[in-house]
Amino acid sequence: MARETWATRMGFILAAVGSAVGLGNVWRFPFITGQYGGSSFLITYLAFVALVGFPAILVEFVIGRRTERNPVGALRELGSGVWSRAGWLFVVTGFVILSYYSVVAGWFLRYTLIGITEGYTLTDPSEANALYQSVSAGLDAVVFHALFMLLVVGIIAAGVRRGIELSVKVMVPAILVLLVGLAAYGSTLDGASAAYAYYLSPDFGTIAANWTEILPAAAGQAFFTLSLGMGVMITYASYLGEDRNLAADAGAIATIDTLVAVLVGFVVFPVLFSVGIEPGTGGPGAIFVSLTAAFAGIPGGRVLGIVFFGMVGIAALSSAISILEVLVSYLIDEVGVARVPAAAAVGAAVFLLGVPVAVDTIFLGLYDGLAYGILLVLGSLLLVLFVGWVVPDLGREELRKGIADVGGLDVAWIWVVRLPVAIVILVSLILGVTDYVDFLTGGFADWLAAR
Ligand code: PHE
């Protein structure tokens, strides 16, 4: 059977953007930025995307296009010894991420529905917070988690190509327009100038003093939001023809993804400041509490809210699809399972794994901390070391294809990947593991003890 390729030139970029733009930008970015001090986090994250994220995307692209395989098969084909088995890590990571991703996406579905059935009426942040508590944990959350997983499985079982290409073509421009509008609204709020100061004026002293926490958080956020470290970009690039300029595509994808996240900050922080919520205190609920309170207070807020939450739900869907596609393509290619049963079985397993998160949000910290602090960073480190040191010539050759005038780009890229990028990721990983152990022995142990 001939392997499928993307239908149009734009199809690949759009699918990759669809994977990248999701809850990571809209939900995770603002609360992590708040947690790590606003502007100090923002600048570290931006630097990380440009200096580490961009070269790391190219690493996944060259592996995917070269092998035309799923990530597990790709590493088995190119590598020997332990390398040939490293792809397994991606399967584990995919399970963990999708399980809680689906729970949070379920919250967005629920908030869309709330807008449709009753509207957003709670202007008081503490009431809005009570609503969030009831949506985010318990039976309701389990039901909406199940619903979201059903959607994801349905699309993957039906064949993903047209679904993804079409939805992102509409979704990405729409989300940008909507965010620009909301950001303009944010600028009219009382809290705007305080919010901009908080968000935009980095204090390098703070970064220097807290880099051991900020760096791993920025690393994890960068990999998470760019869908790196678990083979999504390998899989998507495996459907590519050779005429693509991978560097240009990677640049476009990283830029759009970053733009969406930064714009979300221009919406969320002014709103938080104007309702008097300290950023960083809201945690995973920050965006729900602040935005429902805002939508309750502005004319047309109900429609705006429905469109906004619904759009984020769709963005989450196009990301979740990419994760499930990695798991399913592995089962199809390597184990020989047919697409439909593969999608159904993986979907059911992912659902079960996510149930604890839907029951108690302490598990969100447990899963998310493991995924972004350790698994994605480890996955990226392995890939970067692999291309940088094990198959550098092949990597350079693959990168050159489709670039008319490569200059010294391929050489520079390999050297950046070999040393600085690998070292920064390694340091982030060590710090990430330390932070996660702190969480296990601190917050999580306390929670267990209180049972
Ligand atoms: N990049 C997606 C987001 O920002 C999440 C994701 C992570 C998707 C890892 C695929 C792989 O929402």
Side-chain angles (χ1 to χ4, degrees):
M1 189 176 68
R3 198 172 162 86
E4 291 173 286
T5 55
W6 296 106
T8 63
R9 270 181 85 82
M10 270 318 270
F12 165 66
I13 294 192
L14 288 173
V17 167
S19 171
V21 173
L23 300 182
N25 311 59
V26 183
W27 163 74
R28 203 166 187 291
F29 173 76
F31 91 79
I32 292 289
T33 304
Q35 211 156 305
Y36 293 94
S39 53
S40 302
F41 179 85
L42 177 67
I43 192 155
T44 313
Y45 158 77
L46 291 177
F48 205 97
V49 167
L51 302 176
V52 178
F54 175 71
I57 304 180
L58 290 179
V59 163
E60 295 207 16
F61 280 178
V62 297
I63 296 177
R65 188 170 68 177
R66 180 68 175 211
T67 58
E68 302 186 350
R69 302 283 293 274
N70 71 88
V72 179
L75 284 181
R76 188 174 301 144
E77 180 182 316
L78 293 179
S80 55
V82 287
W83 292 112
S84 69
R85 262 160 285 156
W88 264 102
L89 177 69
F90 304 141
V91 175
V92 174
T93 308
F95 267 101
V96 174
I97 293 191
L98 189 54
S99 74
Y100 73 86
Y101 201 86
S102 167
V103 173
V104 177
W107 303 348
F108 277 92
L109 290 186
R110 181 69 196 280
Y111 268 92
T112 313
L113 207 70
I114 289 174
I116 294 171
T117 55
E118 48 204 281
Y120 310 100
T121 51
L122 308 170
T123 42
D124 176 2
S126 66
E127 282 174 16
N129 186 49
L131 175 66
Y132 163 72
Q133 298 299 339
S134 74
V135 166
S136 63
L139 187 62
D140 291 17
V142 176
V143 169
F144 279 85
H145 164 47
L147 240 137
F148 185 80
M149 272 319 294
L150 275 177
L151 287 174
V152 179
V153 168
I155 295 180
I156 290 296
V160 58
R161 199 59 41 78
R162 208 172 325 137
I164 296 185
E165 287 199 25
L166 220 69
S167 67
V168 291
K169 240 178 234 168
V170 180
M171 183 204 81
V172 172
I175 222 169
L176 281 172
V177 170
L178 206 71
L179 282 175
V180 170
L182 284 171
Y185 161 73
S187 74
T188 66
L189 295 173
D190 282 346
S193 54
Y196 295 155
Y198 171 82
Y199 190 39
L200 299 176
S201 45
D203 171 357
F204 292 95
T206 310
I207 301 178
N210 299 300
W211 73 275
T212 56
E213 286 180 4
I214 296 179
L215 180 69
Q221 175 61 23
F223 292 135
F224 188 93
T225 188
L226 294 170
S227 305
L228 291 178
M230 61 149 289
V232 165
M233 293 302 176
I234 296 180
T235 308
Y236 277 11
S238 77
Y239 304 127
L240 265 182
E242 273 178 8
D243 59 331
R244 301 295 314 193
N245 179 335
L246 293 180
D249 289 1
I253 292 159
T255 305
I256 297 174
D257 183 70
T258 307
L259 204 65
V260 173
V262 170
L263 269 174
V264 170
F266 276 98
V267 180
V268 172
F269 293 117
V271 171
L272 283 178
F273 273 85
S274 75
V275 295
I277 302 178
E278 174 106 1
T281 53
I287 187 158
F288 298 99
V289 174
S290 65
L291 287 186
T292 42
F295 290 139
I298 55 176
R302 181 172 185 179
V303 175
L304 215 57
I306 294 170
V307 175
F308 180 80
F309 287 120
M311 199 85 81
V312 177
I314 298 174
L317 197 56
S318 63
S319 301
I321 285 167
S322 72
I323 305 176
L324 188 62
E325 178 67 13
V326 170
L327 304 174
V328 167
S329 74
Y330 162 73
L331 284 180
I332 295 174
D333 289 0
E334 308 293 316
V335 190
V337 184
R339 176 169 279 271
V340 174
V346 175
V350 167
F351 168 73
L352 289 178
L353 189 62
V355 167
V357 179
V359 171
D360 192 317
T361 43
I362 185 81
F363 287 99
L364 187 62
L366 190 72
Y367 286 38
D368 190 41
L370 178 66
Y372 93 93
I374 301 177
L375 295 175
L376 291 178
V377 187
L378 180 62
S380 294
L381 181 64
L382 286 176
L383 292 174
V384 157
L385 290 176
F386 181 67
V387 169
W389 294 98
V390 184
V391 293
D393 295 339
L394 185 148
R396 283 179 46 197
E397 185 190 315
E398 193 61 41
L399 184 71
R400 282 198 299 267
K401 287 182 197 158
I403 305 185
D405 178 16
V406 80
L409 179 72
D410 57 332
V411 183
W413 168 67
I414 280 293
W415 277 104
V416 167
V417 160
R418 279 190 161 172
L419 286 174
V421 166
I423 291 169
V424 172
I425 301 180
L426 179 64
V427 172
S428 307
L429 178 64
I430 293 169
L431 294 170
V433 171
T434 321
D435 286 350
Y436 193 61
V437 171
D438 284 349
F439 166 74
L440 289 181
T441 53
F444 191 65
D446 294 346
W447 177 85
L448 277 180
R451 293 288 98 185

